[in-house]
Amino acid sequence: MSSASKNSEKGPVTDSVPQYREVNETGHVQELERNFSLFSICSVGIVTGNTWAALGGSIAIAIYNGGPPGVLYEFIAVSIFYWLIAACIAELASAMPSSAGVYHWASITPGPKYGRICGWFAGWWNTFAWMCGSASMSSISSQAATSMYGIYHPDYVPERWHVFIGHLVITWICCSTVLFANRALPTLNSIGLFFILAGVFITILVCVIMPHETGSGYATSSFVWKDWSNQTGYSSNGFVFLAGMLNGAYAVGTPDCVSHLAEEIPNPRRNVPLAIGAQMVIGFVTAFCYMIAIFYAISNLDDVLAAPYFPVATIYAQATSSKAGTIGLLFLIFIPILLTCVGTFITSGRCLWTLARDEAVPFSGTLGTISPRFKNPFNATVVSGCFSTILGAIYVGSSTAFNAFVGSFVVLSTLSYMAAILPFIFTRRFSRQSAAPGPYVNSMRPGTFQMSHTLGYVVNIISCLYIIVFVVIYCFPYSLPVTAVNMNYSCLITGAMSIFAGVWWLVKGKNYVGPKALVHEGENVHVSASPVGKE
């Protein structure tokens, strides 16, 4: 240990001796507490991903695109692509563990010449993707709460503004949890892991057992696996299948969430990839089993399609044939979704904070600070809550606003992934780590998790091709004919964010430095210290 580090451990210092603080792997002063263990970081990934509940809560997007067979096969197809993307992210996270995540990687993989601008847009896209994710989870939670209320009030007619009020309440409950209970977050996510696993297990059991007990019977295997139902207005079933993959992409499309806690966990080079793997495997298995169970419990698909806000509530009602059973199953999906909403605010606040500490967003001096009292990016998290509130207001004016949140999350997040992965291909991955510095040399060193040279190229290229094609498809209208009410506003939200990021680049880009290559193990400065207030 350096003498500077020793001095920093000796308690009070005199005025003549500067106070020193640890510099983490990113080269920044270590400001966040390392509260998370491997188990708790896996819990964060599973809770924030919450694949089965996200898939059930957003099923309205895909149920029109093929019916039950469409949902299942679309989910399998999109999961394969996201496993490849997750492998790319795990490899980069192992090489460069940073709370900035995609933003940091995209700043390094292109090399010095284009790293600044690639990282700039990747950071903006990824940050606002997670803000859209927060808005979508608040919306799902509100829809679930509205559905539970309506079960015991048959005369109740849900309105969009009712969902918006619920959206506001849930947004600020979850945001406040992140703001004021930072040290409790690992425990809270461990509890959330229990609710997610227990919730899906109980739901599957109920949907398997109750149709037989109540006499309502089960759907046929042909209905679940073969009978295609196109309710979108598009004539091409192939296109309908591709567009319906948005539902699955939303459910599994969070492989970077744990990377944003890299500065809050010991040994992130090893633990972050493990957490990503646990999240993807458990998410797929639970979601696929869940979807099979609820589809066999459907007795009338037309009623499910006619549900105004939360189709899975109608499925539960058909499965249990009782109000109490429906309420119970809705509660089991409501609690995990609520905890997922907390996870999205953890991620979005930290994304915004990492951008602000590099002075890449307006009001960076305010947003780029860590609260000395609450030990978290307090101001950045508050702004994330405000942004979710603004997005929620869109729900009042558009019946497809929820779809726009979902689509914007998927489009913005995958664009940010591509901004890191595509340059990584062009700069020849890790093959030039010993090369002399140059404008296109990333000088990256592999971490604990590394794909082989050939496999890495194949996985990177397929991931980028998927993103290029599906970013376009996910911006198409959800159904025909197109009106102002059912229009897909994902392209509008994505375009507006990109234009704003571009304008701010013109304003501040000249003086923007951005993230730097990480401090590597084995170098003398790995455990170096920096005076307080300096980096």
Side-chain angles (χ1 to χ4, degrees):
M1 181 181 294
S2 66
S3 60
S5 297
K6 291 178 181 178
N7 289 339
S8 67
E9 296 176 358
K10 294 181 179 180
V13 294
T14 65
D15 293 340
S16 60
V17 180
Q19 183 181 356
Y20 284 87
R21 293 165 64 183
E22 176 190 358
V23 173
N24 60 31
E25 296 93 332
T26 70
H28 288 90
V29 169
Q30 179 65 31
E31 298 181 273
L32 296 169
E33 295 179 332
R34 295 190 185 270
N35 288 328
F36 292 86
S37 63
L38 176 58
F39 177 78
S40 61
I41 203 75
C42 288
S43 299
V44 170
I46 295 168
V47 171
T48 305
N50 197 7
T51 308
W52 74 268
L55 194 65
S58 61
I59 197 174
I61 297 173
I63 196 72
Y64 300 97
N65 294 64
V71 175
L72 291 172
Y73 296 128
E74 288 156 9
F75 179 64
I76 293 172
V78 79
S79 293
I80 292 172
F81 287 114
Y82 267 95
W83 290 337
L84 300 180
I85 293 174
C88 299
I89 288 175
E91 187 177 47
L92 291 172
S94 184
M96 295 184 290
S98 168
S99 289
V102 177
Y103 163 53
H104 197 127
W105 311 330
S107 300
I108 306 302
T109 57
K113 184 171 183 178
Y114 295 110
R116 291 169 63 248
I117 192 167
C118 285
W120 178 281
F121 278 94
W124 277 78
W125 286 333
N126 193 249
T127 297
F128 285 101
W130 277 104
M131 289 184 181
C132 289
S134 299
S136 65
M137 295 312 299
S138 294
S139 183
I140 291 177
S141 302
S142 180
Q143 291 177 50
T146 303
S147 297
M148 285 191 282
Y149 178 83
I151 288 173
Y152 281 103
H153 298 82
D155 297 331
Y156 169 65
V157 179
E159 301 286 348
R160 287 199 291 272
W161 69 269
H162 298 166
V163 177
F164 173 61
I165 296 300
H167 177 104
L168 291 181
V169 173
I170 290 167
T171 289
W172 289 105
I173 288 176
C174 295
C175 191
S176 297
T177 302
V178 176
L179 290 172
F180 301 112
N182 188 61
R183 292 190 175 182
L185 292 179
T187 302
L188 185 64
N189 278 284
S190 298
I191 295 172
L193 177 63
F194 168 78
F195 271 101
I196 285 174
L197 297 181
V200 70
F201 181 72
I202 294 171
T203 301
I204 290 172
L205 283 181
V206 171
C207 290
V208 167
I209 296 171
M210 288 303 293
H212 173 74
E213 295 296 323
T214 61
S216 61
Y218 300 98
T220 65
S221 293
S222 178
F223 170 80
V224 175
W225 299 101
K226 295 181 180 180
D227 295 343
W228 182 266
S229 174
N230 178 2
Q231 304 287 331
T232 65
Y234 286 102
S235 59
S236 172
N237 286 329
F239 178 81
V240 168
F241 179 91
L242 297 178
M245 287 169 62
L246 175 63
N247 179 220
Y250 173 71
V252 299
T254 58
D256 68 305
C257 65
V258 296
S259 70
H260 298 288
L261 295 170
E263 296 173 36
E264 300 173 65
I265 180 175
N267 195 9
R269 295 178 186 273
R270 169 183 175 271
N271 290 335
V272 170
L274 287 175
I276 292 173
Q279 173 191 344
M280 300 303 291
V281 171
I282 293 176
F284 176 80
V285 172
T286 55
F288 192 67
C289 295
Y290 167 77
M291 297 309 293
I292 293 174
I294 67 171
F295 285 152
Y296 270 106
I298 293 176
S299 57
N300 190 325
L301 181 61
D302 290 336
D303 288 346
V304 175
L305 295 174
Y309 291 107
F310 204 57
V312 76
T314 304
I315 297 176
Y316 287 167
Q318 294 179 6
T320 62
S321 298
S322 74
K323 293 181 178 180
T326 305
I327 285 286
L329 292 183
L330 285 174
F331 181 78
L332 289 178
I333 197 174
F334 176 75
I335 295 300
I337 289 173
L338 202 63
L339 294 171
T340 297
C341 193
V342 172
T344 61
F345 279 111
I346 294 174
T347 305
S348 61
R350 281 153 175 77
C351 286
L352 183 57
W353 164 68
T354 56
L355 273 181
R357 73 179 178 181
D358 289 329
E359 300 183 351
V361 293
F363 309 107
S364 293
T366 300
L367 300 178
T369 60
I370 295 295
S371 168
R373 178 180 178 184
F374 298 106
K375 306 297 183 182
N376 61 20
F378 193 94
N379 297 334
T381 305
V382 169
V383 170
S384 298
C386 293
F387 189 83
S388 176
T389 300
I390 294 170
L391 283 183
I394 300 175
Y395 207 109
V396 180
S398 172
S399 62
T400 57
F402 169 72
N403 304 45
F405 303 156
V406 170
S408 299
F409 170 78
V410 172
V411 170
L412 287 166
S413 61
T414 51
L415 283 174
S416 71
Y417 302 156
M418 188 173 70
I421 299 170
L422 187 60
F424 195 37
I425 300 170
F426 292 141
T427 55
R428 296 164 55 183
R429 290 175 45 81
F430 297 113
S431 65
R432 305 176 74 182
Q433 57 183 288
S434 300
Y440 309 108
V441 177
N442 63 44
S443 301
M444 288 174 55
R445 304 183 187 184
T448 304
F449 173 75
Q450 180 191 10
M451 292 181 282
S452 67
H453 186 69
T454 302
L455 178 62
Y457 272 115
V458 171
V459 171
N460 290 160
I461 290 171
I462 294 175
S463 298
C464 289
L465 290 176
Y466 161 79
I467 293 170
I468 292 170
V469 172
F470 279 86
V471 159
V472 177
I473 292 175
Y474 292 154
C475 288
F476 271 75
Y478 302 109
S479 61
L480 297 178
V482 182
T483 66
V485 175
N486 68 10
M487 174 61 184
N488 183 350
Y489 290 98
S490 302
C491 54
L492 176 62
I493 295 175
T494 302
M497 294 305 159
S498 300
I499 291 171
F500 190 85
V503 170
W504 196 247
W505 170 262
L506 296 177
V507 174
K508 289 289 187 179
K510 183 181 295 186
N511 299 320
Y512 167 73
V513 177
K516 297 297 184 182
L518 300 187
V519 179
H520 294 285
E521 292 184 7
E523 294 181 357
N524 293 332
V525 293
H526 176 62
V527 290
S528 64
S530 175
V532 174
K534 298 180 181 180
E535 298 183 25

